[in-house]
Amino acid sequence: MRSGGDDPAQGAKLDFAADMSYGDYLQLDPVLNAQHPRSEAHDEMLFIVQHQTSELWMRLAIHELQAARETMQRGELRPAFKMLSRVARIFEQLNGSWDVLRTMTPSEYTAFRPALGNSSGFQSHQYRLIEFLLGNRNAKLMQLHAHRPQAMAALSTEMSKPSLYQTALSLLADRLGDRDHAGTPSDTAWTAQQAVQDQWHKVYLSPSTYWEIYELAEKLVDLEDYFRRWRFNHVTTVERIIGFKRGTGGTSGVGYLRKMLEVELFPELWHVRGAL
């Protein structure tokens, strides 16, 4: 037990005039001064911070997904498993952010909604990049980002590469000795194929024989599970706050988000469960 006269900061460096501090390393000045409400409404700050932090988590998800794909392409699955598990937990964190946003009532949102203009989460290029990475690709939506060259370049580059799922299918084909159904780059969303489901079926019938690819399959299912929960909570949050009004970006709002719940990123991995 320390005595009352002990200084808990004794020995700590206190002068950072010439050295990098915590705030310097994290670039906290621009981060913490990036909130600029456009109204006098108290709850606009909540709305801004929630979406900015979500974009930061998505930034990390993109970093992990791109690295996971690169390691998978080298045939190094163990590091990829760690990265995919991390992305699943990132979406668990994103899920929690809806809980905070849901403390805002419809009246509180209405107080600053006009300040948003036509801006909308639908226009998030990072969310779109995550979808492209995972395999849900729609080249037409890239038009949303034509006014931002850096975002457009990132999406265009991603579109030229095989998605994470297509990379997984290439590994699956290699391990089974069947290259006829390997993944290839595509600018459209992946649709379920019976031949691919048959390949996964073979893996699930004999996990011990194909353990690494079996574990990869379950990591992908886990990731999509958390991603679906995030989408579902998005829908319920929007419905709770704005009801069935159109979105600020021009979409049908809740109707559009409900439609997105039907999207399957790795369809064969879900369909195969009913065939076992």
Side-chain angles (χ1 to χ4, degrees), residues 176-195:
L176 296 182
D178 177 9
R179 293 296 306 171
D180 290 340
H181 303 100
T184 57
S186 172
D187 62 358
T188 58
W190 180 264
T191 55
Q193 297 181 19
Q194 185 61 50

Side-chain angles (χ1 to χ4, degrees), residues 52-94:
Q52 287 181 337
T53 53
S54 293
E55 290 290 334
L56 285 172
W57 280 120
M58 285 192 279
R59 174 70 183 88
L60 180 58
I62 290 166
H63 174 72
E64 298 293 341
L65 288 170
Q66 289 174 334
R69 177 173 56 192
E70 290 173 6
T71 60
M72 288 164 61
Q73 288 171 338
R74 296 195 298 268
E76 301 169 9
L77 294 187
R78 303 305 303 179
F81 294 158
K82 175 68 175 290
M83 296 166 190
L84 294 175
S85 291
R86 182 173 292 166
V87 175
R89 299 309 174 268
I90 289 170
F91 278 100
E92 185 176 22
Q93 289 293 320
L94 285 166

